[in-house]
Amino acid sequence: MIVTSDNFKTSAIKYISLFNGLSANEQDRIADSIVQSLMVNRIAEIPVQDFELIVNQFYNLVCFGPITNLELFITQDCNLSCDYCFVKEKQHKIMPLESIYSSINFLTFYSGNQKNLNLTLFGGEPLMAKKTIKKVVEYISKLESKSKAKKYSISITTNGTLLDEDFLRHTRDKINFLLSIDGDQQTHDVYRKYQNGRGTFNTVVSKIKLLKKYQPWLGARMTVLPDTITQLYHNIVSLYNLGINQILLGPAMDVEWNEKAMRAYEGQLRRVGQFYLKKKQKKEPFRMTLFENNNNGIECHEHQWGCGAGRNTISVNTNGDIYPCSKFLGYEEFDAPELKLGNIYMGIANIELRKKLSMISDSSFPTCVSCKEVNACMGGCPADNYHLHRNIHKAGKAHCRIKEIENRILREMYRDE
């Protein structure tokens, strides 16, 4: 079926009216914008499916703003078997190139007038699909050469075991790699293992020098758990000595943190904070996002509640289904359709979920109103909250306790600034 210029506006309003929460004037305004865009591009007729996707795009841009970050699960396959991985069911499945290109186009369309867009390749282990990654780089290069309107940055979170010189040479200056490594060998090998149970530390460390040859500044994602917390300071110093320049701490929130582990976290984090300040004072090449002044959570304003999930960030799986972020996608096991935002071919149709994520504030968390950290907290990870309580607006006890500890240490660190 075809929609023609004679009934562009009527058809647009008919489709927009299916979404809740818009007045007649707002519907009319969005419809006029759609008609104007089609006319400017001299489109006289358009297939119904394409027309509905355009209407969906305009509706989302007007009501929620642009999407600038796309997490793309290009494969469900992985060569490791990490105990704490949130993707429970690995499959030997790689996303078709047509779906990847459509996902990138989707990001382009839903980014509105934003120029700088971010594409993160996830898995499984993304490097299980190196040929696909090379095609992604080529496609992005073609898009940028055709138009200067958008600039795409590509990043990959990888376990590092499959890095090789040919691949790094091919992707040099085109991809930023974030390494998943949890500390020294004793800590790292507790959870990050090959499928045969053998630890991966020696393999990962052997790749660091090679990786820094092509990417001098190297960041690491470090998962922190209760049974390894007493080694946190030692592990961060170890990673720095291995050549890691930036560390993103990720305390696991879906495990039990007893009081002993919490006290250990506070003591260790205080030592880490002093280590960070010394490196900062000496202007050495080292960063920790948690401790940086503009991200310390001490004065968290209302608009900072929640994260970018479903707001300016989406995650797409190998089937083209859209989720708010990679962790939501990992919880497909719950068979909860309310977690899915839509599909790259049909647009973002789960407006209720996007509204919950985009309009999140302290009032969204009734149990947080009386908390002394209410103005210095972002409400926890929505995906973790759902995992624990089937409610994105109810943070877990571990998050609340850890945030309290972090804020106390941050206030001590920056008391005199």
Side-chain angles (χ1 to χ4, degrees):
M1 294 180 63
I2 299 293
V3 181
T4 65
S5 57
D6 294 335
N7 58 2
F8 277 164
K9 185 167 183 178
T10 303
S11 299
I13 290 177
K14 181 180 179 180
Y15 188 72
I16 294 167
S17 66
L18 298 176
F19 300 118
N20 297 324
L22 286 181
S23 67
N25 286 338
E26 289 171 324
Q27 292 179 23
D28 194 68
R29 180 163 57 90
I30 295 174
D32 284 339
S33 297
I34 293 166
V35 173
Q36 182 181 5
S37 176
L38 292 170
M39 292 304 188
V40 165
N41 288 285
R42 298 183 180 181
I43 297 174
E45 59 181 34
I46 186 171
V48 169
Q49 184 173 333
D50 293 343
F51 181 77
E52 290 181 347
L53 187 59
I54 290 173
V55 173
N56 187 289
Q57 170 203 344
F58 270 84
Y59 173 86
N60 275 275
L61 281 171
V62 169
C63 295
F64 303 109
I67 293 171
T68 54
N69 304 297
L70 170 64
E71 299 173 338
L72 203 56
F73 268 64
I74 60 171
T75 178
Q76 294 181 8
D77 204 0
C78 188
N79 63 325
L80 303 191
S81 184
C82 303
D83 294 339
Y84 52 59
C85 183
F86 59 82
V87 181
K88 302 302 180 185
E89 295 184 10
K90 308 295 193 303
Q91 299 180 35
H92 300 294
K93 187 175 182 180
I94 295 177
M95 194 174 193
L97 283 173
E98 293 76 13
S99 297
I100 291 174
Y101 298 157
S102 294
S103 298
I104 296 170
N105 293 341
F106 187 96
L107 171 66
T108 304
F109 296 148
Y110 278 73
S111 64
N113 60 5
Q114 297 297 302
K115 180 176 181 179
N116 297 313
L117 309 181
N118 304 301
L119 174 65
T120 302
L121 305 182
F122 272 112
E125 168 51 44
L127 299 193
M128 297 285 284
K130 289 179 182 175
K131 290 182 179 179
T132 297
I133 293 172
K134 290 179 180 179
K135 291 290 185 180
V136 171
V137 170
E138 291 173 6
Y139 187 73
I140 292 295
S141 296
K142 287 179 181 178
L143 287 179
E144 291 183 332
S145 65
K146 288 180 179 179
S147 171
K148 303 300 180 183
K150 304 290 181 182
K151 179 67 177 176
Y152 305 81
S153 65
I154 309 174
S155 61
I156 289 179
T157 299
T158 175
N159 62 44
T161 60
L162 299 177
L163 289 165
D164 64 75
E165 184 132 23
D166 178 70
F167 180 74
L168 290 171
R169 187 184 302 113
H170 187 91
T171 58
R172 186 172 196 165
D173 299 327
K174 298 172 182 176
I175 293 179
N176 182 70
F177 294 91
L178 179 69
L179 194 63
S180 294
I181 184 170
D182 293 343
D184 69 1
Q185 183 169 11
Q186 183 179 355
T187 299
H188 179 89
D189 283 348
V190 171
Y191 294 101
R192 302 194 64 81
K193 306 170 184 176
Y194 286 108
Q195 294 174 2
N196 63 7
R198 182 168 59 89
T200 62
F201 180 81
N202 288 331
T203 305
V204 177
V205 169
S206 71
K207 306 286 187 175
I208 289 178
K209 185 176 181 181
L210 173 63
L211 182 51
K212 285 181 70 70
K213 173 182 174 182
Y214 292 90
Q215 182 184 302
W217 184 274
L218 181 57
R221 166 77 180 183
M222 184 178 177
T223 300
V224 181
L225 290 111
D227 57 350
T228 58
I229 191 59
T230 58
Q231 297 300 306
L232 179 63
Y233 170 77
H234 166 77
N235 285 328
I236 286 176
V237 174
S238 297
L239 292 182
Y240 175 76
N241 290 335
L242 286 172
I244 302 297
N245 305 104
Q246 185 170 359
I247 297 176
L248 285 75
L249 284 183
M253 295 299 181
D254 56 354
V255 297
E256 182 180 353
W257 286 77
N258 59 31
E259 188 57 30
K260 182 179 179 181
M262 288 296 183
R263 288 197 302 269
Y265 182 67
E266 181 164 3
Q268 290 288 312
L269 194 63
R270 188 169 276 109
R271 294 183 67 190
V272 172
Q274 293 307 310
F275 176 77
Y276 164 79
L277 287 178
K278 288 179 181 178
K279 297 301 175 188
K280 180 182 176 182
Q281 290 165 0
K282 294 180 180 179
K283 297 183 178 180
E284 295 186 22
F286 183 65
R287 290 181 58 192
M288 286 192 69
T289 307
L290 172 64
F291 296 123
E292 292 172 3
N293 271 323
N294 62 351
N295 194 36
N296 59 33
I298 293 176
E299 295 182 4
C300 179
H301 302 292
E302 182 174 315
H303 70 277
Q304 291 175 302
W305 276 77
C307 59
R311 181 178 289 165
N312 61 5
T313 299
I314 58 171
S315 184
V316 178
N317 69 7
T318 52
N319 297 323
D321 293 327
I322 302 170
Y323 289 82
C325 75
S326 56
K327 291 197 81 171
F328 273 100
L329 192 155
Y331 295 145
E332 283 180 309
E333 63 188 271
F334 290 131
D335 191 27
E338 69 268 20
L339 297 183
K340 188 165 70 173
L341 283 169
N343 185 277
I344 55 172
Y345 304 108
M346 299 302 295
I348 295 176
N350 190 345
I351 302 304
E352 187 62 30
L353 177 58
R354 193 163 189 215
K355 187 183 297 183
K356 285 181 179 179
L357 292 164
S358 298
M359 300 179 180
I360 201 168
S361 68
D362 54 356
S363 62
S364 306
F365 294 78
T367 58
C368 298
V369 175
S370 60
C371 177
K372 65 179 182 180
E373 300 294 341
V374 67
N375 293 318
C377 177
M378 298 174 72
C381 167
D384 282 342
N385 294 351
Y386 185 90
H387 189 197
L388 292 168
H389 305 294
R390 305 301 185 269
N391 183 349
I392 65 173
H393 295 150
K394 186 176 180 180
K397 291 182 180 179
H399 164 79
C400 298
R401 186 79 167 86
I402 285 174
K403 179 55 64 175
E404 178 189 2
I405 289 170
E406 292 174 349
N407 287 344
R408 180 162 55 248
I409 291 173
L410 287 163
R411 291 185 181 105
E412 292 173 2
M413 288 174 60
Y414 295 106
R415 182 179 295 147
D416 300 326
E417 291 194 7

